[in-house]
Amino acid sequence: MGLNETEYNLIVRLMGREPSLTELGMFAVMWSEHCGYKYSRPILAYFKEYKKAMEGEGLENAGIVDIGDGLGVVMKVESHNHPSAVEPYQGAATGVGGIIRDIFTMGARPIACLNSLRFGPIEPGQAEPEVVVRNRYLFEHVVAGIGGYGNCVGVPTVAGEVAFHPRYSGNPLVNAMCVGIVKIDEVATAGANGIGNPVIYLGSATGKDGIHGATFASDTLGEDSDAKRPNVQIGDPFAEKLLIEATLEALQTGAVAAIQDMGAAGLTCSTVEMSSKGGVGMVIDLDLVPMREADMSAYELMLSESQERMLAVAHNGREQEIIDVFHKWGVHAVVIGHVTDDGLVTVRRHGEVAAQVTAKHLTDFCPTYSVEPKVPDYHLRAAQFDPSGLPTVDFADALCQLLASPNIADKRHVYRQYDQQVQTQTVLVPGEADAAVLAPRGSKKGLSVKIDGNALHTYFDPYAGGVGAVVEAARNVACTGAKPVAATDGLNFGNPQLPHVYWQFERAVRGIADACDALGTPVVSGNVSFYNESTLGEVLPTPLVGVVGVLERAENRVPGRAGAGLSVGVLSYTKDNRQEGLGASAYAAVVHGVEDGLPVLADLAGEKSLHETLVRLAAEGLAKSAHDVSEGGLAVALAESLAEGTGLAVDLAALSDGLSDAGLLFGEFPGHVVVLTDQGDAVSRAVSAGIQWTVIGSTNPNGDVNIQRGDRTLIATTEKALRAATNNGLDEALMKPVGVVGVQ
Amino acid sequence: MKVAVIQFPGSNCDQDALYSLREDIGVAAEYVWHDSTSLVGFNAVFVPGGFTYGDYLRCGAMAATAPVMDEVRRFAREGRPVVGVCNGFQILCESHILPGALMQNVNQKFLGQDCYLKAINRTSPWTERVEGVVRIPIAHMEGRYVADAETLARLEGDGLVAFRYVSPTGELSEEWNPNGATNAIAGIVNDKGNVLGMMPHPERATRKLLGCDDGLAIMSAFRLLPVN
């Protein structure tokens, strides 16, 4: 079940007796890494909000951010990596369902989904043919699963990212994020309260699916992983849609005292966490639980991860109001027990007590572990990387190669499979801007959301990668004109018991925490996923950060591209020229096949000033477009800033700072943003201290793209050629023949 | 004018339709639950998009049997205005209020993107104000319109094709027919012109903030229709 001998002995000591099978199962899931955070809790204390919550009232399902006007934003990211590796469609679909439940269980209406996905290579030659075929299968089915669930449930999928790397073959990463909006004074709580209050089971019937899913999530994928298909849950987005509407309507009655979704560890987690959080106990009778199969044991019922279920506590005497609402929507609602004052979760089945455990033992006594971190040799060697050793190439070809590479290419193949506009609040859709912007009904404000992470950067320098994930997501949000206000993180790593993985984890989290402190974007929620490894190796350390920002007026949103007749300028702070920005860069990897070197560490004070500047430009209507420099460097950012049919002529001499041509074009310097404007002088007056504004050229209607350095032409091409590269890149990568008949 | 927005379990564009009608078009609109047996007091019906009853059977097949659909059928037969969008169009076809069927997109994937439409019929209240090419989003997995040869001949011959998918400059081309619909048909009207079914979402395009208000040309009919 995943418990070791010491942990078992601790359980016996806490209980004063040997646990029953059901009790042991409950401990195993609650003390799994997925629920108990054994290896991560000490490090997560770097996050101030997390530390405060652990020392105080405990964590709510998703953090809340006050955005003014009496409104709060709720958001969280969660991984569904292992289920998706085994059964990609359902794994991804239920990942979306789970994160949506985390949001509406707080009384918030889910208004947007995002996702961040990682797969092994989909192009022949980058992995064994059968691995490429398998990666394509995982990619297509994960995307279909996300769409299949999100589209049906009526929550738009508005932003995300997808990347490919050999280290994800065998263990893809599927992180889903959801954002909701709630009136601050209507936030629901998960803490059970009111002795004698009835406990109500809500939602779909319980079946034998997903038993021990949380334990599965905390193990390593191996040869026998296919046998774990029964551990994967099956999603029913229609049931979820009904559950959303019924839950939000029931909360409006005022009859709900507490509510929590049944996610990982199902009935166990919800009864135990609600009791522990409220400092109370609960008696439940499993005979009353709606079941898909009559012969389910207490063990199966307590550990099933059947989807689309919730647990609520009603104010005594008002349970019928809740039941009536759920019945209107055709959803099960059954009183299965009541709240007690003894702090025990007591579970009855067939008239007998099948389990009786102290709730706090399960939530607060899970042991934590730390590991002596070890700095890996590859990190030390990366400091020696010298970009001048990369051979000279044709820069126009290199730019097209980068734009067409699956990591950088436009992801229309993916986002076209998502309903981006249902709820009619999406005012900037995927492909239009650096982040998605929503205009919630009943408010003038806009919400900008994005999720980001650069695993290659993180691999070579986890601290810089952690910082980078935060500043990149926040910068993307700021590019649309929104002030970044809060963050959520999805931390995907290998086996934390390995010293180098623990080092990656600790450094990355420190980077995220430092960046969030400096930018004033607290981490309000998050998820840790360890043991992301398979027989094909361990994944790149992949911290993902979702950031939400606020536009005072949604109509001031700034897109990522613009047309002809505008000045092209770059906002930046002083560059750290470490390895010319080419360490761990896409240019070195894609064009030269070299993955080495250290990424540039962002300057946090500079970033904050840059974001302030971007917010000001938007509010004053000075920017026609804003797009940040990230993977592929300035050249890629310039290409991506052009509306269809628009060309540009720029001279980069003023930006060179002694860089080589390659560094100037493709160096991945944080804190650089390409702005297209018809008011260049006004922009120069609007920038914050420490930010430079450099006009480098203009856009034209004839579609010619010319990038000069003084009197030398570095790149001469057309917008049409660049657009074809980025728009078709992903489809072409998927179409390349692999040369063998594949197996799935 | 008061519009009934039919709400089934699994409808998910119901709120969008209500909001568009009330805020952007400026008419009264109320939800009518799927088990309702009366449309008394309403002047028009809007069947919104979504995944009614999960659409685990053929899209719209379950919804076509809901109690409220008997009333919608009667409403349509009496010549009163009925519009079905996306899943709503599928439901109108499954209810035999409109002919034909919506099959899976030719690329077998869900399509969420803008498309360009030209009004072919110019006499129905829904199409008479649609000039030139309009940009309207689609979001569906089963939007490829099909019908038997006889029905197609009648639709084309009697001017009942409401909209066709076209290029941004108005030309017919397979490249701009996103789901592979027969004759690039995006929407149809019944022979009296009082019922419109279409896959694209005009209610998602009724305010500039959403990037496009081309849908006003279609949706404004609700404001301009005579109150019956």
Side-chain angles (χ1 to χ4, degrees):
Chain A
M1 284 192 209
L3 291 169
N4 63 32
E5 197 180 336
T6 320
E7 288 165 350
Y8 182 82
N9 291 335
L10 176 59
I11 291 166
V12 173
R13 204 158 66 241
L14 286 169
M15 297 188 72
R17 61 177 167 84
E18 297 279 329
S20 70
L21 176 67
T22 304
E23 289 164 344
L24 189 58
M26 291 169 73
F27 270 99
V29 284
M30 292 304 291
W31 285 12
S32 69
E33 183 61 42
H34 190 77
C35 295
Y37 285 40
K38 289 191 262 208
Y39 282 88
S40 53
R41 247 189 298 166
I43 305 294
L44 294 177
Y46 295 170
F47 299 141
K48 287 178 180 160
E49 296 292 313
Y50 182 86
K51 188 157 185 280
K52 220 157 60 190
M54 291 308 289
E55 290 164 356
E57 289 188 347
L59 291 165
E60 282 290 354
N61 289 299
I64 306 164
V65 189
D66 189 337
I67 60 161
D69 292 352
L71 295 174
V73 167
V74 181
M75 62 171 182
K76 194 180 177 198
V77 62
E78 194 153 280
S79 63
H80 237 214
N81 303 337
H82 286 183
S84 304
V86 176
E87 173 28 62
Y89 185 98
Q90 291 298 343
T94 52
V96 173
I99 197 66
I100 290 175
R101 277 194 299 286
D102 272 344
I103 300 304
F104 71 76
T105 191
M106 300 190 65
R109 178 166 285 279
I111 61 166
C113 281
L114 299 86
N115 56 74
S116 182
L117 313 175
R118 298 290 185 278
F119 301 94
I122 52 170
E123 289 181 283
Q126 297 185 10
E128 295 299 314
E130 57 271 28
V131 174
V132 170
V133 170
R134 172 82 184 167
N135 290 338
R136 286 177 177 178
Y137 161 78
L138 292 173
F139 166 61
E140 294 284 15
H141 285 75
V142 162
V143 169
I146 290 171
Y149 204 99
N151 298 344
C152 178
V153 84
V155 180
T157 302
V158 299
E161 48 158 25
V162 188
F164 306 89
H165 191 278
R167 297 282 290 270
Y168 301 108
S169 288
N171 193 324
L173 302 183
V174 176
N175 283 226
M177 172 174 162
C178 186
V179 181
I181 198 150
V182 59
K183 288 188 182 145
I184 288 275
D185 54 6
E186 292 181 1
V187 174
T189 177
N193 57 79
I195 309 309
N197 274 349
V199 174
I200 312 181
Y201 175 106
L202 304 166
S204 300
T206 298
K208 293 185 179 179
D209 52 332
I211 290 171
H212 263 304
T215 318
F216 170 45
S218 309
D219 198 0
T220 296
L221 292 170
E223 301 281 2
D224 63 339
S225 290
D226 244 11
K228 296 204 167 145
R229 275 181 196 246
N231 286 102
V232 179
Q233 313 86 334
I234 306 297
D236 178 357
F238 172 58
E240 177 105 334
K241 171 67 175 161
L242 302 181
L243 199 56
I244 294 176
E245 300 303 334
T247 300
L248 294 179
E249 195 175 320
L251 284 168
Q252 289 297 317
T253 64
V256 178
I259 188 162
Q260 181 170 329
D261 65 303
M262 287 191 223
L267 265 170
T268 295
C269 191
S270 51
T271 52
V272 166
E273 285 190 355
M274 289 183 79
S275 298
S276 173
K277 194 165 162 45
V280 295
M282 229 178 243
V283 177
I284 60 165
D285 185 348
L286 293 178
D287 297 357
L288 302 172
V289 168
M291 293 173 219
R292 283 187 228 150
E293 292 148 278
D295 65 339
M296 292 185 70
S297 67
Y299 179 86
E300 289 167 329
L301 284 162
M302 289 307 287
L303 295 174
S304 163
E305 291 190 9
S306 290
Q307 298 288 291
E308 293 92 23
R309 302 179 300 159
M310 317 272 287
L311 195 70
V313 173
H315 291 299
N316 210 348
R318 298 190 64 184
E319 54 271 26
Q320 197 56 43
E321 292 173 57
I322 299 170
I323 292 168
D324 287 346
V325 170
F326 277 80
H327 284 179
K328 175 195 150 190
W329 287 96
V331 179
H332 290 296
V334 186
V335 174
I336 60 165
H338 61 272
V339 176
T340 62
D341 63 358
D342 56 10
L344 296 170
V345 170
T346 305
V347 179
R348 306 181 69 87
R349 178 71 172 140
H350 298 316
E352 286 173 11
V353 173
Q356 186 167 51
V357 289
T358 302
K360 295 258 184 224
H361 286 170
L362 289 153
T363 55
D364 295 2
F365 286 76
C366 173
T368 61
Y369 303 95
S370 13
V371 175
E372 190 57 43
K374 181 177 177 300
V375 181
D377 292 341
Y378 72 78
H379 171 68
L380 302 173
R381 276 199 308 274
Q384 310 304 317
F385 172 69
D386 179 3
S388 68
L390 300 173
T392 310
V393 293
D394 181 282
F395 292 131
D397 287 349
L399 176 56
C400 279
Q401 240 180 301
L402 282 164
L403 287 169
S405 66
N407 287 358
I408 294 178
D410 184 279
K411 302 301 186 292
R412 64 190 55 210
H413 178 93
V414 175
Y415 59 74
R416 273 187 179 164
Q417 299 186 50
Y418 304 146
D419 191 339
Q420 309 142 28
Q421 289 168 306
V422 62
Q423 298 192 20
T424 53
Q425 300 179 121
T426 319
V427 299
L428 284 175
V429 297
E432 280 191 328
D434 282 21
V437 176
L438 299 143
R441 279 176 201 151
S443 170
K444 297 270 182 222
K445 289 181 196 272
L447 288 181
S448 180
V449 290
K450 185 69 172 81
I451 186 165
D452 271 302
N454 185 318
L456 200 57
H457 287 192
T458 310
Y459 175 72
F460 285 107
D461 185 344
Y463 182 80
V467 168
V470 175
V471 297
E472 167 87 21
R475 197 188 309 126
N476 282 331
V477 158
C479 280
T480 66
K483 178 184 187 319
V485 294
T488 179
D489 63 347
L491 305 171
N492 304 271
F493 290 80
N495 178 350
Q497 298 170 43
L498 300 174
H500 75 278
V501 172
Y502 199 75
W503 172 80
Q504 292 168 342
F505 179 69
E506 190 277 334
R507 288 284 81 203
V509 172
R510 176 54 79 190
I512 293 170
D514 286 354
C516 285
D517 279 351
L519 297 183
T521 54
V523 176
V524 296
S525 59
N527 176 254
V528 181
S529 171
F530 283 136
Y531 306 101
N532 289 293
E533 56 184 12
S534 71
T535 50
L536 297 172
E538 101 203 354
V539 300
L540 294 179
T542 312
L544 302 165
V545 175
V547 167
V548 62
V550 178
L551 274 139
E552 285 309 312
R553 296 183 72 85
E555 69 211 31
N556 291 336
R557 70 205 184 279
V558 178
R561 44 180 96 227
L566 301 171
S567 297
V568 179
V570 176
L571 289 171
S572 61
Y573 53 76
T574 306
K575 280 205 240 336
D576 160 10
N577 279 357
R578 173 158 94 170
Q579 298 179 354
E580 301 216 9
L582 296 175
S585 68
Y587 170 75
V590 172
V591 178
H592 298 282
V594 174
E595 290 184 348
D596 199 3
L598 299 173
V600 176
L601 178 63
D603 174 66
L604 293 171
E607 281 290 338
K608 195 163 168 61
S609 299
L610 178 67
H611 302 172
E612 282 167 10
T613 301
L614 288 162
V615 171
R616 200 174 303 123
L617 295 186
E620 295 174 12
L622 299 179
K624 292 286 183 211
S625 75
H627 177 40
D628 81 321
V629 172
S630 62
E631 267 185 294
L634 180 61
V636 165
L638 286 168
E640 290 174 343
S641 294
L642 298 172
E644 192 170 331
T646 303
L648 63 70
V650 294
D651 180 354
L652 306 186
L655 295 170
S656 66
D657 292 341
L659 292 168
S660 68
D661 291 345
L664 186 55
L665 289 167
F666 304 114
E668 294 176 9
F669 297 104
H672 284 52
V673 174
V674 174
V675 172
L676 271 53
T677 177
D678 56 357
Q679 299 179 71
D681 292 341
V683 172
S684 67
R685 285 191 297 273
V687 297
S688 296
I691 300 300
Q692 291 117 43
W693 165 245
T694 315
V695 175
I696 57 172
S698 59
T699 55
N700 64 57
N702 59 33
D704 292 334
V705 170
N706 226 289
I707 301 178
Q708 302 275 133
R709 180 176 194 172
D711 51 10
R712 283 189 304 121
T713 299
L714 300 183
I715 292 175
T717 180
T718 63
E719 186 272 336
K720 200 174 169 195
L722 299 176
R723 179 158 41 90
T726 188
N727 284 3
N728 304 335
L730 195 47
D731 279 330
E732 283 174 6
L734 287 164
M735 303 286 277
K736 284 181 193 162
V738 289
V740 293
V741 177
V743 288
Q744 285 184 355
Chain B
M1 169 61 62
K2 189 169 160 193
V3 185
V5 176
I6 310 294
Q7 203 177 29
F8 301 92
S11 294
N12 66 24
C13 303
D14 44 345
Q15 296 173 30
D16 306 353
L18 194 84
Y19 185 74
S20 170
L21 287 163
R22 285 183 180 172
E23 302 290 323
D24 299 344
I25 306 301
V27 297
E30 298 290 340
Y31 295 126
V32 173
W33 192 231
H34 65 125
D35 63 1
S36 170
T37 53
S38 167
L39 288 170
V40 170
F42 291 100
N43 313 105
V45 167
F46 191 101
V47 189
F51 290 71
T52 43
Y53 307 95
D55 273 345
Y56 293 133
L57 193 56
R58 282 190 324 277
C59 300
M62 293 277 286
T65 69
V68 75
M69 288 311 295
D70 288 336
E71 282 305 289
V72 174
R73 271 186 212 97
R74 191 169 59 79
F75 206 87
R77 215 165 38 234
E78 290 169 3
R80 303 168 81 192
V82 175
V83 171
V85 165
C86 198
N87 192 218
F89 184 17
Q90 295 163 342
I91 294 167
L92 294 183
C93 289
E94 286 287 343
S95 303
H96 302 295
I97 295 172
L98 289 172
L102 284 312
M103 306 287 283
Q104 194 172 66
N105 300 339
V106 71
N107 74 344
Q108 299 178 24
K109 285 184 170 23
F110 187 94
L111 285 170
Q113 63 183 73
D114 278 342
C115 66
Y116 297 88
L117 303 181
K118 196 152 133 183
I120 306 304
N121 169 298
R122 299 305 310 276
T123 56
S124 86
W126 324 107
T127 53
E128 61 183 349
R129 274 169 292 275
V130 182
E131 303 294 339
V133 176
V134 289
R135 178 163 63 94
I136 308 281
I138 55 169
H140 59 246
M141 176 79 113
E142 288 88 6
R144 179 168 55 93
Y145 185 78
V146 296
D148 59 63
E150 193 184 329
T151 303
L152 280 173
R154 192 167 57 80
L155 290 174
E156 296 288 355
D158 295 353
L160 304 181
V161 174
F163 300 103
R164 266 195 243 282
Y165 299 108
V166 293
S167 75
T169 47
E171 288 91 34
L172 269 177
S173 108
E174 273 311 297
E175 188 195 346
W176 294 96
N177 176 0
N179 52 33
T182 312
N183 296 1
I185 291 172
I188 57 174
V189 291
N190 66 348
D191 44 13
K192 285 188 225 159
N194 64 307
V195 179
L196 165 73
M198 63 189 293
M199 288 313 298
H201 286 273
E203 84 284 7
R204 292 188 180 187
T206 53
R207 59 173 56 198
K208 272 263 182 289
L209 186 61
L210 294 175
C212 180
D213 62 1
D214 286 3
L216 285 172
I218 301 164
M219 293 291 286
S220 61
F222 282 106
R223 191 177 62 242
L224 302 168
L225 279 167
V227 175
N228 46 17

